[in-house]
Amino acid sequence: MKCIHRSIDYRHGEGEVVLMAEEPEDMWHAYNLIQVGDTLKSTTIRKVQTQSATGSVANSKIRTTLTLKLEDIDFDTQACVLRVKGRNVQENQYVKMGAYHTIDLEMNRKFTLRKVEWDSVAVDRLELACDPTQSADLAAVIMQEGLAYICLVTSSMTLTRAKIEINIPRKRRGDCSQHDKGIKRYYDQVMQAIIRHVNFDVVKCVLVASPGFLKNQFFEWMIAEAVKNDNRLLMDNKSKFLLIHSSSGHKHALKELLSDASVGHRLADTKAASEVRALDSFYQMLQTDPNRALYGYNHVEKANSLQAIETLLISDELFRARDVATRKKYVALVDSVKNNNGDVKVFSSLHVSGEQLGQLTGIAALLRFPIDDDLIADSDSDSDT
């Protein structure tokens, strides 16, 4: 995300920024920044009718700049398209004041976002979006015979760049030629997808995972092909490939890959791996010392009031609440944990780890010291009353 201009009064919270999305992931950051009630200014296509002196009516499409008070925000996770809807609040020769309009935010086209209050979570998201060091530093090839997924794991989301499905003929007694041809065609498509979608200048590690020995056979074939065809891209980056076992060749196996100790060692400094480690620590603590692992807003808030939170795990989905009071409640909790020297990890709901956290109400905490069940029960009874 490119930040062209920033004018925020951090003391009172009001201000505006001019941004431009440069890649699909930036649309996800924009989706987390933009809230109902914000004001957004951008260019859009509007269909207008013009009437000539003779009375004939002609329809045409023109590009105009509109400023909308937002009432609805929609994000297509597969196409990475962000669509906002609201009322026009600035005079325009083509659109009346108060008229509804929808704007599709486009790549490489700037837009101005104005908020009445830039809270700490919004400012952190802005800093994250505009940090040029944030990029996809992990790629994963998850495969089983005839099926493969090529995924890029960024700091905010998991992008499926290619899905390969090929019908491979079965081996026949005394004749394996059709099966071998099918396997070779399958390997070739997976290799071409890796070359096309993985940027080795940025990616630190490429996980190749499958049940059984398919991953080993594919990797040996790919390197042999690279040597035969003098493909320097694959040969020079051979050391970045990490072969690992998975229970299946489907996308959901990515969670178990990121939890693997050997993968965690290679990806020690990436945000995706740190989120998975934090969630694993939470589950382990829940088994070994359940009084030091809590989830649900009431329980976590009670622990925070005792300054007991060491690590707060929270889903970014909670900050997209339409109710302003609900969003402020979670922002205040994050600020309070930080002020008490706690660590806050904001999970992306598009990551497998974020999906898991969402099943635990979207908020959980690892504590510095155990809290008795009686205190938690008191907080539940207080909230019921």
Side-chain angles (χ1 to χ4, degrees):
M1 183 85 77
K2 185 176 182 181
C3 184
I4 300 170
H5 174 71
R6 182 188 306 199
S7 177
I8 300 175
D9 184 348
Y10 291 102
R11 188 170 58 179
H12 299 100
E14 189 176 2
E16 67 179 32
V17 292
V18 181
L19 303 170
M20 184 169 68
E22 296 179 305
E23 53 188 44
E25 189 186 354
D26 292 340
M27 289 299 182
W28 174 249
H29 288 304
Y31 177 52
N32 283 280
L33 273 174
I34 299 169
Q35 303 290 324
V36 171
D38 292 346
T39 304
L40 187 138
K41 178 181 179 182
S42 182
T43 59
T44 183
I45 301 294
R46 182 76 174 185
K47 189 177 181 180
V48 296
Q49 287 186 338
T50 54
Q51 188 170 357
S52 66
T54 60
S56 61
V57 177
N59 292 319
S60 61
K61 290 182 178 180
I62 54 96
R63 181 170 287 276
T64 184
T65 300
L66 294 181
T67 304
L68 304 181
K69 183 84 167 181
L70 301 182
E71 297 184 7
D72 190 45
I73 304 157
D74 181 56
F75 180 66
D76 184 343
T77 57
Q78 295 303 314
C80 285
V81 173
L82 182 59
R83 184 173 290 111
V84 297
K85 178 183 177 183
R87 290 180 181 270
N88 183 35
V89 294
Q90 192 167 318
E91 196 67 46
N92 187 286
Q93 67 179 104
Y94 302 109
V95 184
K96 296 178 181 178
M97 287 281 287
Y100 277 103
H101 192 79
T102 300
I103 295 178
D104 286 345
L105 294 184
E106 302 174 12
M107 301 262 289
N108 300 311
R109 193 175 298 280
K110 65 181 182 180
F111 63 91
T112 302
L113 176 64
R114 183 172 187 82
K115 288 178 177 287
V116 175
E117 182 182 2
W118 283 86
D119 55 44
S120 62
V121 172
V123 172
D124 287 346
R125 173 65 68 169
L126 180 64
E127 297 292 347
L128 175 67
C130 298
D131 184 356
T133 63
Q134 297 295 333
S135 52
D137 47 13
L138 171 65
V141 182
I142 309 168
M143 56 198 306
Q144 65 186 37
E145 195 166 287
L147 175 68
Y149 289 88
I150 313 296
C151 301
L152 295 179
V153 184
T154 73
S155 61
S156 305
M157 60 198 297
T158 302
L159 298 169
T160 302
R161 280 303 182 209
K163 180 183 179 182
I164 297 158
E165 283 185 289
I166 290 181
N167 185 25
I168 299 175
R170 291 183 178 180
K171 291 181 179 179
R172 297 184 182 276
R173 183 175 295 176
D175 182 18
C176 299
S177 60
Q178 293 302 313
H179 173 80
D180 293 342
K181 286 180 182 177
I183 285 287
K184 185 176 180 181
R185 190 169 69 251
Y186 167 63
Y187 285 171
D188 186 62
Q189 289 200 20
V190 175
M191 182 179 72
Q192 295 304 324
I194 292 172
I195 293 170
R196 189 179 307 116
H197 297 293
V198 177
N199 181 359
F200 286 99
D201 293 334
V202 176
V203 168
K204 298 176 182 176
C205 180
V206 182
L207 304 180
V208 182
S210 76
F213 297 101
L214 181 65
K215 58 187 178 297
N216 306 80
Q217 294 162 358
F218 163 72
F219 184 69
E220 290 172 5
W221 179 90
M222 182 181 69
I223 296 303
E225 284 292 302
V227 172
K228 186 168 71 175
N229 298 317
D230 195 28
N231 188 321
R232 301 304 307 175
L233 181 69
L234 293 176
M235 291 165 62
D236 291 345
N237 291 282
K238 179 181 175 181
S239 60
K240 291 186 178 181
F241 286 84
L242 179 63
L243 308 186
I244 189 169
H245 174 79
S246 66
S247 58
S248 79
H250 291 275
K251 186 182 171 184
H252 63 76
L254 189 60
K255 163 68 174 66
E256 64 183 84
L257 303 185
L258 293 175
S259 302
D260 189 276
S262 60
V263 177
H265 178 70
R266 292 279 290 270
L267 304 173
D269 57 342
T270 65
K271 183 174 182 289
S274 69
E275 289 176 358
V276 172
R277 283 198 303 273
L279 196 59
D280 284 345
S281 298
F282 174 80
Y283 280 123
Q284 290 171 11
M285 189 68 75
L286 205 57
Q287 291 179 337
T288 58
D289 191 357
N291 286 345
R292 286 186 59 197
L294 302 176
Y295 62 91
Y297 177 78
N298 290 334
H299 292 181
V300 172
E301 173 56 34
K302 181 64 178 178
N304 182 56
S305 67
L306 300 172
Q307 298 186 12
I309 296 179
E310 184 174 33
T311 306
L312 176 68
L313 288 61
I314 187 166
S315 171
D316 58 12
E317 200 167 15
L318 299 178
F319 300 120
R320 294 197 295 272
R322 289 181 175 272
D323 181 30
V324 176
T326 302
R327 177 184 167 87
K328 284 187 174 181
K329 177 176 74 173
Y330 289 114
V331 171
L333 177 61
V334 168
D335 290 342
S336 178
V337 171
K338 288 181 178 178
N339 290 337
N340 292 329
N341 295 320
D343 185 21
V344 177
K345 294 192 180 296
V346 180
F347 284 63
S348 169
S349 57
L350 284 190
H351 261 314
V352 284
S353 55
E355 291 172 5
Q356 263 197 313
L357 183 61
Q359 295 169 5
L360 294 173
T361 72
I363 186 168
L366 284 162
L367 307 185
R368 295 186 174 100
F369 50 82
I371 294 182
D372 292 338
D373 293 338
D374 295 339
L375 286 173
I376 300 301
D378 290 342
S379 71
D380 283 340
S381 60
D382 292 343
S383 62
D384 291 340
T385 55

